[in-house]
Amino acid sequence: MQSDRPSAAESGVATGAAQGGPKASEEWVLLDAVLKKDRKATAEFVSRYADPVYGYVSQRLAPRADLVEDLVQEVFLVALQKLDTFAGKSSVLGWLLGIARHKVEDLYRARLREPESFSDLEDSSPSGPVDLPEFDALIDKGRAQEKTQRILARLPEAYGLVLLWRYWEEHSTKEMAAQTGKTEKAMERLLARARAHFRRLWEGEGP
């Protein structure tokens, strides 16, 4: 029985026309070829989007560069498995970065669920209120971005992950606690200590 659902390429012609871009139509032709298990098209698909996905994952996992390659591979494996569900409501890159974001957050959850992520750090930093440089602003500013990455690399892993999850992925402490099985109070303490540690390193390093 033939499906009434249009192919990716057919759907893309309308999508590309609506958005006024032949590039969109070309993109959908590529997706259609990938869905038909064309190896050359699959290699082109991965090559076309690998750099921005790698860059996104690298930033979100800093300083754990050793985890980036495997996670990027997971992103593309999921994308290829679910490509037939892509409806064109966002760009292909936006869709891939959405998958990457979920994968990164899965890793945050897994790491912060581990008991040692809290117990080893419980008394290592003061937990009083501390002003923190705005991460969203910092990551958009050349040298400040580099400095942020350097400081994240010097933090204990749990501190870096909780700061990335809270400020770059914009999750509340309540959400983070629920997803890691920790209490909200414990998550707030960890976040406060992470902020304090980050601030000390930030002020001590200079510009």
Side-chain angles (χ1 to χ4, degrees):
M1 178 176 175
Q2 188 173 2
S3 171
D4 292 331
R5 181 173 181 255
S7 70
E10 290 167 341
S11 301
V13 171
T15 303
Q19 296 177 350
K23 182 180 178 182
S25 297
E26 179 204 352
E27 198 169 58
W28 279 83
V29 170
L30 175 63
L31 299 187
D32 197 49
V34 174
L35 285 169
K36 292 174 179 175
K37 311 299 183 186
D38 183 315
R39 291 186 179 182
K40 185 176 179 181
T42 301
E44 182 182 343
F45 172 77
V46 173
S47 176
R48 180 177 294 191
Y49 300 107
D51 284 349
V53 171
Y54 190 95
Y56 175 89
V57 172
S58 295
Q59 276 198 331
R60 268 51 186 180
L61 293 188
R64 294 302 306 272
D66 56 310
L67 301 175
V68 174
E69 289 280 359
D70 287 346
L71 198 141
V72 170
Q73 287 183 21
E74 287 182 36
V75 170
F76 281 102
L77 284 174
V78 171
L80 292 171
Q81 290 167 1
K82 296 186 175 181
L83 191 58
D84 61 342
T85 69
F86 177 67
K89 293 179 181 178
S90 66
S91 67
V92 175
L93 179 57
W95 180 68
L96 286 169
L97 293 181
I99 296 173
R101 180 172 184 168
H102 285 300
K103 284 292 179 183
V104 166
E105 291 188 3
D106 285 346
L107 186 142
Y108 291 169
R109 279 191 291 273
R111 295 280 175 174
L112 291 174
R113 276 185 186 135
E114 297 173 3
E116 58 270 24
S117 68
F118 281 66
S119 59
D120 291 351
L121 304 169
E122 195 62 32
D123 297 316
S124 61
S125 297
S127 57
V130 176
D131 292 332
L132 180 73
E134 289 293 335
F135 271 49
D136 290 339
L138 291 177
I139 62 175
D140 290 330
K141 298 179 181 176
R143 274 190 297 176
Q145 179 179 1
E146 293 175 10
K147 182 176 177 180
T148 301
Q149 295 288 341
R150 288 198 306 271
I151 292 174
L152 287 171
R154 295 171 60 190
L155 291 174
E157 183 182 48
Y159 285 174
L161 292 179
V162 78
L163 289 172
L164 289 168
W165 203 4
R166 174 67 184 89
Y167 292 98
W168 282 2
E169 304 301 341
E170 299 182 339
H171 279 258
S172 68
T173 51
K174 184 175 182 179
E175 291 171 325
M176 292 157 62
Q179 293 186 46
T180 57
K182 311 293 184 183
T183 66
E184 188 174 354
K185 191 166 184 178
M187 188 61 70
E188 287 172 351
R189 284 199 302 268
L190 180 67
L191 188 57
R193 291 188 171 94
R195 285 196 297 259
H197 200 147
F198 183 97
R199 170 60 89 180
R200 285 201 307 277
L201 293 177
W202 179 272
E203 292 178 343
E205 185 173 299

